[in-house]
Amino acid sequence: MKLSWIRAQVATEVKERLRSTATVTALVAFFILSFLWIPDPKSHAVSIAWQARDGVTTSGVYNAAYVGAAAAILASFFLSLAGFYLVAGSVRRDARRGLGAILAATPLSKTAYLGGKLAAHCAYLGTVAIFTLASGVAVFLTYGTGPLRIGELVVPFLLLVLPCLVFVASLALLFDVMPGLRGRGGLVIYFFVWTFLLFLLPMQLHGGIERTQRITGWPVYDPGGLALFVDLLERSVTDLVPGKLSIGIDILDHPVRRVVWNGLRFPPGAVLSRLTTLAWALVPFLLSVAVFDRFDPARRASRHRIRPRTASEKGRDELREAAPSGLAPRESLSSLPPFSPSPGILRSVLAESRLIWSLSGPLRWPLLATAVVAAVPGIPGRFGAAGFLLLLAPALSEVGAREAIHGSGGLVFSQPGVPQSMVLWKTLSAVLFVAVLSLPRLMMTVLSPQRALAFLLGGIFVAVFAIGAGVLTRGGKLFTGLYVALLYAAANGLPPLDFAGAFAPQPSLAVSAAYVAGGLGLLALAELRSRPPQ
Amino acid sequence: MLEIRSLTKRYPGGVLALADFDLTVESGVLGLLGPNGAGKTTLMSILATVTKPTAGTFLWEGKDGVADPLSVRRVLGFLPQDFGVYERLTAREFLVYLGRLKGIAERDLKGRVGAVLELVNLHQVADRRLGGYSGGMRQRVGIAQALLGDPRLLIVDEPTVGLDPEERVRFRNLLSEIAHGRLVIFSTHIVSDVEAVASQIAVIRRGRLVTLATPEELLQRAAGKVFTAVVASDELAQAQSRVPVSSLIRRADGVHLRFVGSGEALPGSRPVEPTLEDAYLFTTELRE
């Protein structure tokens, strides 16, 4: 491996990514989340709690050990999800910018190139993790009791978060080079990979989520660190009833009993368990090296091969084999039919909406199917709504940044139908797209107007969130990451997060309206930030 | 037709791309010539209403194109120097999308798109995804979209990049044909491209207009200022430091230089008829 290449790669990527709006947005989001995750101890909210043997819900006082452990597991959840979206697409970007072709013509091997990328991802995510650690310190300074023991804040971070980030960085590489995963669909698929591979599977392998007995060994496969976290917590709290540990924001109807908990202790077996994650990280990395096409356009184009032609189509095939050469000599502009253009915002909004549909590619049909199923009452409707809201993520994620991503701004923004406010144009188009697809569900209005209206508001929120985040970050990844995480939390029964009223028994219009208002605020920011296209 | 008044563009960071640029032209093909970084692309972006100037304005048929960009966009066909396409769309789908943004009615759109695809000879591959197109084919898609709205003002920035020699000739012919009653602004640093089609040439350097003239006027100005000389190979570097060289050919008797300036600069020089390339070199190197 060429060390100089790796050094250069690390320095460039860390610098470039740290300067991005996406990084700042992610850090602000984490800062806010930290205070939600470790809420005011006087409130009835709690995120790490256990049922003691006397049946009382108990948690720790906010000493450095508790805050360190809570902030570390939050960082592990958050950075393994948002961190992926922050680093994903790096290889694709090299290909798009033409850098890939230049690198492919050098002696740099696939392993060295991807090794450099992995190191850069790790360095960047590690740097972001340091900032998230600062959020933990901020929480401690706000609510904490007792002395600020830096070691108790830092050690859980080092052992839980960092190995997790290496694994995620490696997965991001795999998603970047694997055909079928490197597009917008891959960004959605990752969410399920994240849920299953990083958290559900390790928990299942280590005694199950609802286990009633304590486990004696250490987790062998635990990239997210949750299985080890649960294990260590169970070992360190003597009066905890196994299987009665709750990790996740919970609002109780009574105050939480707070006891002194001395935090996570990492015996050698636990440390080894975390080091094992580094070995597991090699699996996606080696797979990436195996499948990486080294920017060979022939291998990339193979995905778009034209289907075999029938005999009657052979004649046309011959014409298609080679690019037809030259501009047609006998045609002239005056031979074109006369017409009178009448550009306008309505026509442009319709055109953009239709383009969103066209560019959704194969996702269009499941999107349509889930939109229809979402209209069915009961549980099928809930699944349909969840699927529909999920599939909106890849359909809308790049709309606000499409011209920046593809370099088509010069062609698009010089058209007479495009209004002065690109943000307004994109938003209206995305809202129209969502509204049309929501029609089946809206027809439920007769049965449940509140549910239908909440769904419409939720759809509008998705559209404005996608456009606002897209314009601000000039990409679609951060929107996808944050939105999918929000949707997951909403689907798991947190009423304040149910922006579309799709999961709560009684949808709240106020909640949906609040999300739309927040989205409009984001749009206003995007409008302010969007400069005239250069 | 087009009047540019004191157009100035300063980019964040202080780079002055255009400085007090004035120009007035009528219909025909205006060739913009200038070295890299002269300000050609910035000027074209401003005229295409994609970039706003720092100061100054331009009038298109009496209407202020900076204050009222829509009046320009309605008659504009623009081919930027670098442009991206949506690789998952076919050429036809892409042109239909842009046609809608131009305001072409649905009833006219299909025929119009088909016609421009024929014009650029892509009709046989119009339903293939743009991701599978070569650079030259993409460039032709760019040309097709610029012609789609029957523009009265056609701005094409380095349009011949990526085209093969035959395509270049045909594209130049197309521009000549289009230019009747319209204004075509054609930027390039390939002098032979401009020579074939331009009715007027604007030479730009360091963000300023050096001269606006017909090709004949440029040639007249350079008359008597272009020479050839033969120098030994080991004297070449010294000769190049003394005169602006427009071309050189190595032959058995030495290096045959073609240069602009004074015939006394190199011994044994003899005057020759200037080409437009010589005239351009004369304009940019010696007239400042």
Side-chain angles (χ1 to χ4, degrees):
Chain A
M1 248 187 234
K2 299 214 183 298
L3 281 176
S4 57
W5 153 252
I6 292 176
R7 262 203 311 272
Q9 186 70 18
V10 169
T12 310
E13 294 232 353
V14 171
K15 218 181 293 173
E16 191 176 332
R17 289 180 188 279
L18 280 179
R19 287 173 185 163
S20 72
T21 322
T23 302
V24 177
T25 313
L27 289 175
V28 170
F30 185 83
F31 188 80
I32 295 166
L33 261 180
S34 301
F35 280 85
L36 290 174
W37 184 253
I38 311 173
D40 187 343
K42 294 188 197 97
S43 70
H44 291 188
V46 65
S47 53
I48 299 172
W50 56 88
Q51 187 187 312
R53 294 199 188 281
D54 58 8
V56 178
T57 304
T58 308
S59 186
V61 296
Y62 286 179
N63 55 15
Y66 179 91
V67 173
I73 199 66
L74 174 65
S76 189
F77 280 132
F78 182 83
L79 290 178
S80 58
L81 185 63
F84 171 86
Y85 293 104
L86 288 170
V87 296
S90 174
V91 177
R92 265 204 309 162
R93 195 183 50 194
D94 280 356
R96 190 176 283 154
R97 288 178 179 175
L99 182 63
I102 295 169
L103 292 173
T106 68
L108 192 71
S109 69
K110 289 201 291 185
T111 315
Y113 172 77
L114 292 177
K117 286 281 175 197
L118 180 66
H121 289 356
C122 291
Y124 165 72
L125 290 175
T127 312
V128 171
I130 291 170
F131 285 107
T132 61
L133 181 60
S135 294
V137 174
V139 171
F140 182 81
L141 294 175
T142 310
Y143 299 135
T145 57
L148 172 59
R149 293 198 178 94
I150 291 294
E152 290 186 334
L153 281 168
V154 172
V155 170
F157 250 86
L158 288 177
L159 290 173
L160 286 177
V161 183
L162 293 189
C164 172
L165 294 184
V166 175
F167 188 82
V168 169
S170 185
L171 265 185
L173 269 188
L174 181 62
F175 271 68
D176 237 5
V177 300
M178 179 77 88
L181 292 180
R182 56 187 169 208
R184 288 173 296 166
L187 296 180
V188 173
I189 292 170
Y190 176 73
F191 179 76
F192 297 100
V193 169
W194 173 78
T195 310
F196 182 73
L197 268 191
L198 271 81
F199 297 105
L200 289 182
L201 180 63
M203 285 300 294
Q204 211 53 45
L205 291 174
H206 197 58
I209 296 163
E210 299 285 328
R211 64 188 177 219
T212 51
Q213 297 291 317
R214 283 193 182 152
I215 306 296
T216 48
W218 298 104
V220 177
Y221 172 79
D222 182 25
L226 181 65
L228 181 68
F229 181 86
V230 169
D231 192 322
L232 291 174
L233 209 145
E234 283 183 349
R235 286 169 197 250
S236 60
V237 180
T238 47
D239 72 337
L240 179 149
V241 178
K244 295 292 181 185
L245 175 66
S246 155
I247 297 174
I249 301 167
D250 216 351
I251 300 166
L252 307 173
D253 52 6
H254 55 83
V256 184
R257 179 169 72 186
R258 300 271 175 192
V259 298
V260 173
W261 174 54
N262 290 321
L264 305 174
R265 295 284 173 264
F266 290 87
V271 174
L272 192 64
S273 165
R274 295 312 291 146
L275 292 178
T276 316
T277 295
L278 299 179
W280 282 113
L282 281 175
V283 175
F285 176 73
L286 293 175
L287 264 174
S288 308
V289 173
V291 300
F292 181 40
D293 58 20
R294 208 170 178 275
F295 303 109
D296 179 351
R299 286 177 63 189
R300 294 202 160 207
S302 63
R303 291 188 298 123
H304 302 298
R305 267 182 202 140
I306 299 168
R307 67 176 169 79
R309 295 273 151 180
T310 61
S312 62
E313 290 172 318
K314 269 187 177 173
R316 268 187 291 156
D317 261 1
E318 282 166 20
L319 291 171
R320 288 175 190 224
E321 281 308 310
S325 76
L327 303 159
R330 63 184 178 283
E331 292 290 340
S332 74
L333 199 69
S334 54
S335 69
L336 299 181
F339 73 106
S340 49
S342 51
I345 186 163
L346 182 63
R347 193 163 268 170
S348 301
V349 165
L350 281 171
E352 182 65 19
S353 293
R354 291 165 83 154
L355 184 68
I356 298 171
W357 173 255
S358 299
L359 289 178
S360 297
L363 284 174
R364 284 180 290 189
W365 308 116
L367 189 63
L368 193 61
T370 52
V372 172
V373 176
V376 178
I379 292 180
R382 282 182 60 180
F383 274 105
F388 173 68
L389 291 170
L390 181 68
L391 290 172
L392 283 180
L396 296 177
S397 61
E398 289 185 354
V399 177
R402 192 191 305 121
E403 290 76 19
I405 294 169
H406 296 277
S408 57
L411 294 185
V412 173
F413 296 125
S414 60
Q415 304 303 337
V418 177
Q420 283 295 305
S421 169
M422 182 267 268
V423 173
L424 175 71
W425 171 49
K426 293 279 182 172
T427 305
L428 290 176
S429 309
V431 166
L432 177 67
F433 176 78
V434 175
V436 169
L437 283 171
S438 301
L439 277 177
R441 173 96 175 185
L442 296 181
M443 290 194 303
M444 283 170 59
T445 309
V446 181
L447 297 173
S448 170
Q450 189 168 352
R451 189 170 287 281
L453 192 54
F455 195 72
L456 180 62
L457 287 173
I460 293 172
F461 161 69
V462 183
V464 295
F465 183 23
I467 303 303
V471 171
L472 284 171
T473 63
R474 294 170 73 82
K477 292 184 297 166
L478 192 73
F479 159 75
T480 307
L482 293 177
Y483 171 69
V484 173
L486 173 70
L487 183 63
Y488 178 74
N492 275 285
L494 279 176
L497 301 181
D498 191 4
F499 57 90
F503 309 107
Q506 239 350 295
S508 162
L509 283 181
V511 166
S512 301
Y515 276 93
V516 173
L520 290 175
L522 190 69
L523 272 190
L525 201 60
E527 179 64 42
L528 286 176
R529 283 284 308 274
S530 67
R531 295 179 293 266
Q534 299 295 312
Chain B
M1 212 165 198
L2 177 71
E3 187 181 347
I4 300 172
R5 291 181 182 168
S6 303
L7 218 50
T8 300
K9 178 68 183 179
R10 189 180 288 277
Y11 285 108
V15 175
L16 187 64
L18 281 179
D20 264 333
F21 195 96
D22 288 295
L23 182 75
T24 301
V25 279
E26 296 300 324
S27 63
V29 178
L30 171 69
L32 280 185
L33 272 180
N36 291 330
K40 302 189 296 290
T41 295
T42 300
L43 176 63
M44 299 193 116
S45 294
I46 292 173
L47 296 178
T49 72
V50 175
T51 301
K52 281 193 186 296
T54 313
T57 191
F58 71 93
L59 304 180
W60 168 255
E61 294 184 332
K63 288 183 183 163
D64 188 328
V66 175
D68 178 17
L70 194 58
S71 64
V72 176
R73 287 180 195 168
R74 283 176 189 276
V75 296
L76 175 71
F78 177 45
L79 175 64
Q81 185 176 6
D82 298 309
F83 65 91
V85 294
Y86 305 138
E87 299 195 342
R88 275 181 283 174
L89 294 187
T90 65
R92 194 186 304 280
E93 287 169 337
F94 187 58
L95 291 176
V96 164
Y97 167 65
L98 291 173
R100 286 177 178 142
L101 296 186
K102 285 179 194 291
I104 302 175
E106 293 295 321
R107 64 178 177 279
D108 298 324
L109 195 52
K110 195 177 166 192
R112 189 84 197 161
V113 166
V116 289
L117 281 166
E118 284 216 16
L119 197 68
V120 298
N121 207 9
L122 287 176
H123 55 290
Q124 291 168 335
V125 289
D127 295 313
R128 254 161 74 172
R129 285 184 176 194
L130 290 167
Y133 273 34
S134 69
M137 290 164 79
R138 285 186 193 203
Q139 191 69 5
R140 280 192 266 160
V141 172
I143 294 167
Q145 68 77 32
L147 299 174
L148 191 57
D150 196 12
R152 298 201 55 235
L153 171 62
L154 182 63
I155 298 177
V156 285
D157 195 358
E158 306 274 4
T160 50
V161 171
L163 299 183
D164 63 34
E166 189 188 358
E167 288 169 340
R168 273 175 56 190
V169 170
R170 285 178 179 160
F171 180 68
R172 293 189 315 220
N173 293 343
L174 191 63
L175 284 188
S176 298
E177 183 211 331
I178 289 168
H180 297 296
R182 308 166 207 256
L183 176 60
V184 178
I185 303 179
F186 174 16
S187 146
T188 183
H189 53 254
I190 304 169
V191 179
S192 59
D193 278 349
V194 175
E195 190 170 25
V197 292
S199 48
Q200 288 200 89
I201 294 173
V203 179
I204 305 178
R205 193 175 163 90
R206 293 183 190 141
R208 293 175 195 278
L209 180 67
V210 178
T211 189
L212 174 67
T214 62
E216 294 76 19
E217 285 168 343
L218 284 181
L219 289 168
Q220 279 168 14
R221 287 175 198 170
K225 307 286 184 190
V226 185
F227 300 88
T228 59
V230 181
V231 297
S233 286
D234 55 359
E235 293 169 359
L236 179 61
Q238 193 192 4
Q240 282 179 314
S241 69
R242 290 169 65 187
V243 290
V245 174
S246 62
S247 68
L248 57 86
I249 303 169
R250 289 179 190 275
R251 293 214 174 114
D253 57 340
V255 183
H256 289 237
L257 291 182
R258 190 178 176 97
F259 66 94
V260 295
S262 163
E264 293 157 10
L266 294 178
S269 301
R270 56 186 180 80
V272 288
E273 195 74 15
T275 64
L276 196 61
E277 197 147 355
D278 301 323
Y280 166 67
L281 196 64
F282 172 72
T283 306
T284 54
E285 295 291 327
L286 301 181
R287 280 176 57 90
E288 281 201 315

